[in-house]
Amino acid sequence: MAEGAELEVSSSIEIAKHTLLSCGLVLAVGTLAALLAQKIRIPDVAVFLLTGIAIGPHALGLVHIEANSALNQIILLFGASYILFDGGAMLRLKVLKEVWITILVIATVGILITAVITGLAAHYILGVPLIVAMLLGATIASTDPATLVPVFRQVRIRDRVAQTAMSESAFNDAMGAILTFSILAVATGGSFSLAGSLLGLLEQAVIGVVAGIVLGYLAALLIAHEKWAFLAEYAPVVTVVAVIGAYFAADGLHASGFMAVFVFGIMLGNKEAFGFRMEPGEAQKLDEFVLTTAFILRLFIFILLGAQVDFALMGQYWLGGVATVTVLMLVARPATVFLCAWPDRRARWSFAELLFMCWTRETGVIPAALAGLLLGMNAPGAPMIASVTFIAILMTILIQASTTKWLGRRLGLLETK
C-alpha cells in the first residue's frame, strides 16, 4: 500500500515537472516570438500561432499539452476573461454612446446573417446536410475578443472603429453559443424555440451586464475612492480577483461570464466618469501589471492553440474548408457589416470604416472551444466542424490580423499618436 502511494506521489511530481518545463519553454519561445513580431511589425498573435504549430506535437514535438487538460482549460478560461477585461478597460463611454446601435445589431442579428451565409456555403461546398452546415456556420460566426483586443492594442486604429470591433467581439460570443446549441438541439432531434432562444439571450446579456457593473463599481470603490480605497496598494490583486469573481458570478447565474468581465473592464476603465480617481503612481502600477499579465496570457493562449492544431483532421476537409472560410471572410462578413452598420444614421459610418470592419472578424478561442465541446458530445458532423474551425482560425489570424495595420494605413484610419 505504501509502495503504491509512493509511486503515485512520484508520478505526480513527474507530471508537475513536465508541466512546469512546458510552461517555461512556452514563455521563453513566446518572448522570442513577440520580439520577432515587433521587428517585422505585425500583431504578435499571428506569430504566436505559427510558433505553437512549430513547437507542437505535429512538428518539433517540444510541447504537448492536451486540449482537454485542466491546465489548458484554465489558461483558456482565465486568459480569455482577462483579455476581455483589458479590452473593456480600453473602451470609452463617450465613444460607445455614439456607436451602441451598431454594436447591438451586429452582435445579434449580425451573427444570424453570418451563420446563415456561411452555413449555406458549407452545405453546397462540402456537401453536408443543411442542419450540420448551419451548425458549422453558428460555431464560427462569432468574432474573437482574445485576438482583436491585443491587435488593437498594437495597431492604433481610429477609436470608434476599434472600440466597435472589440465590443462586438465581446458581446457576440453569447449569441454565437446560444445559436450553436439551439441548432444542435434540432440536429439531435430536439425542438427549437425562437422565443426561448431570444429570452435566453436577453437573460444572459442582462445578468452579465449587471454582474460586471456591480463588480466594477465595487473594485473601483476599493482601489480608487477618496475615503474607501484601502486596497489601492493592492489594485492588481483586486482586479484579478474581480475578473474571476465577475466571470463566476455571471456563470453561476447561467449568464455570459465573458460579457460580465468585459463590462467590468469598461467600469474600471471609465472609473473617472463615476467619480473615482487613483493616485498617479498606483494607476501606473496597475496599467503595467495589466499589460504584462495580458501579454503572458495572450502568449500562452495562442501558442497552445497553435500546438493543438490537428493537421490530420484538417486534411480531410482542406479544400472545402478553405473555400467555406473564404466565403465567410469575403461574403458573409461584408454582408453582415453593411446590413447591420450602414443603416445606423447615428454613427454615420464612412465607407472606409465599414470596409475596415469587414476585414476585422478573426476567429479564435471561443469558436475553438465550441468546436471542442461539439467533438466531446459526438454532435452530428463534429469532426468536420472542428476541422473547418481550425482552418478558419489559421486563415483569419494569419491573413487578417497580420494585415490590419496595412489596411488601416491604406484606408486612412491609423491614429498618429
Side-chain angles (χ1 to χ4, degrees):
M1 189 75 175
E3 186 179 346
E6 286 178 9
L7 287 172
E8 187 176 337
V9 170
S10 176
S11 175
S12 297
I13 291 174
E14 288 305 313
I15 292 172
K17 285 180 178 178
H18 177 265
T19 302
L20 184 60
L21 178 62
S22 296
C23 290
L25 184 62
V26 169
L27 268 175
V29 174
T31 303
L32 294 176
L35 181 62
L36 174 63
Q38 189 179 52
K39 294 293 184 184
I40 60 179
R41 298 183 179 180
I42 65 170
D44 55 21
V45 290
V47 182
F48 289 154
L49 193 66
L50 288 174
T51 301
I53 293 172
I55 67 174
H58 301 289
L60 297 176
L62 299 177
V63 171
H64 185 47
I65 296 176
E66 296 286 347
N68 59 356
S69 67
L71 175 63
N72 187 68
Q73 296 303 317
I74 289 171
I75 289 171
L76 285 182
L77 191 60
F78 179 65
S81 297
Y82 200 85
I83 289 170
L84 265 174
F85 154 71
D86 182 30
M90 290 170 61
L91 306 190
R92 292 295 165 259
L93 291 176
K94 181 181 178 182
V95 178
L96 292 181
K97 287 177 184 177
E98 184 183 325
V99 298
W100 70 269
I101 294 175
T102 294
I103 294 169
L104 178 64
V105 176
I106 204 170
T108 51
V109 178
I111 287 291
L112 289 171
I113 295 171
T114 301
V116 168
I117 294 175
T118 306
L120 288 173
H123 174 59
Y124 289 108
I125 293 171
L126 295 167
V128 296
L130 184 60
I131 190 68
V132 174
M134 288 300 169
L135 188 57
L136 166 64
T139 302
I140 62 176
S142 59
T143 55
D144 184 45
T147 306
L148 288 169
V149 169
V151 165
F152 287 123
R153 262 209 175 278
Q154 294 174 296
V155 181
R156 305 298 299 177
I157 298 295
R158 188 177 297 169
D159 263 355
R160 70 190 208 125
V161 180
Q163 295 191 25
T164 298
M166 286 189 290
S167 300
E168 175 211 349
S169 70
F171 289 121
N172 67 18
D173 287 333
M175 181 64 179
I178 289 173
L179 183 61
T180 298
F181 289 111
S182 297
I183 295 174
L184 178 62
V186 177
T188 52
S191 59
F192 170 71
S193 168
L194 178 62
S197 295
L198 291 175
L199 186 62
L201 176 64
L202 182 63
E203 183 182 351
Q204 285 205 31
V206 170
I207 295 175
V209 169
V210 169
I213 289 173
V214 171
L215 266 296
Y217 189 88
L218 181 60
L221 187 73
L222 295 175
I223 66 175
H225 190 271
E226 187 178 352
K227 293 181 179 179
W228 301 103
F230 58 89
L231 291 179
E233 187 179 348
Y234 303 98
V237 180
V238 172
T239 58
V240 171
V241 172
V243 166
I244 297 171
Y247 179 88
F248 282 104
D251 188 65
L253 295 169
H254 306 291
S256 172
F258 289 130
M259 188 175 293
V261 295
F262 184 71
V263 173
F264 164 66
I266 294 175
M267 287 290 294
L268 206 59
N270 292 273
K271 57 187 176 297
E272 290 82 5
F274 304 104
F276 299 114
R277 187 175 298 278
M278 294 182 71
E279 292 295 323
E282 298 295 344
Q284 182 180 355
K285 184 169 72 173
L286 178 59
D287 288 343
E288 289 172 353
F289 173 83
V290 170
L291 275 172
T292 303
T293 309
F295 166 75
I296 293 171
L297 291 169
R298 180 167 79 245
L299 178 155
F300 268 98
I301 284 175
F302 287 97
I303 288 183
L304 292 184
L305 197 60
Q308 290 155 11
V309 171
D310 190 336
F311 288 98
L313 183 63
M314 284 172 54
Q316 299 176 35
Y317 302 96
W318 181 251
L319 288 176
V322 169
T324 301
V325 175
T326 300
V327 173
L328 168 69
M329 293 166 59
L330 302 182
V331 179
R333 177 61 178 181
T336 298
V337 170
F338 278 93
L339 288 173
C340 295
W342 185 280
D344 186 1
R345 296 296 93 191
R346 181 188 177 94
R348 297 178 181 176
W349 296 106
S350 69
F351 182 76
E353 290 172 328
L354 292 171
L355 201 59
F356 182 84
M357 285 193 288
C358 289
W359 195 242
T360 50
R361 65 93 41 246
E362 284 84 338
T363 305
V365 174
I366 306 304
L370 288 174
L373 286 173
L374 294 178
L375 271 176
M377 298 165 65
N378 291 316
M384 178 275 296
I385 292 171
S387 174
V388 178
T389 298
F390 272 112
I391 291 170
I393 290 169
L394 289 174
M395 287 181 65
T396 57
I397 292 180
L398 296 180
I399 297 172
Q400 292 182 313
S402 61
T403 55
T404 298
K405 187 172 185 178
W406 171 83
L407 184 63
R409 185 185 297 111
R410 292 295 300 268
L411 295 175
L413 300 178
L414 276 186
E415 296 283 5
T416 54
K417 59 180 180 179

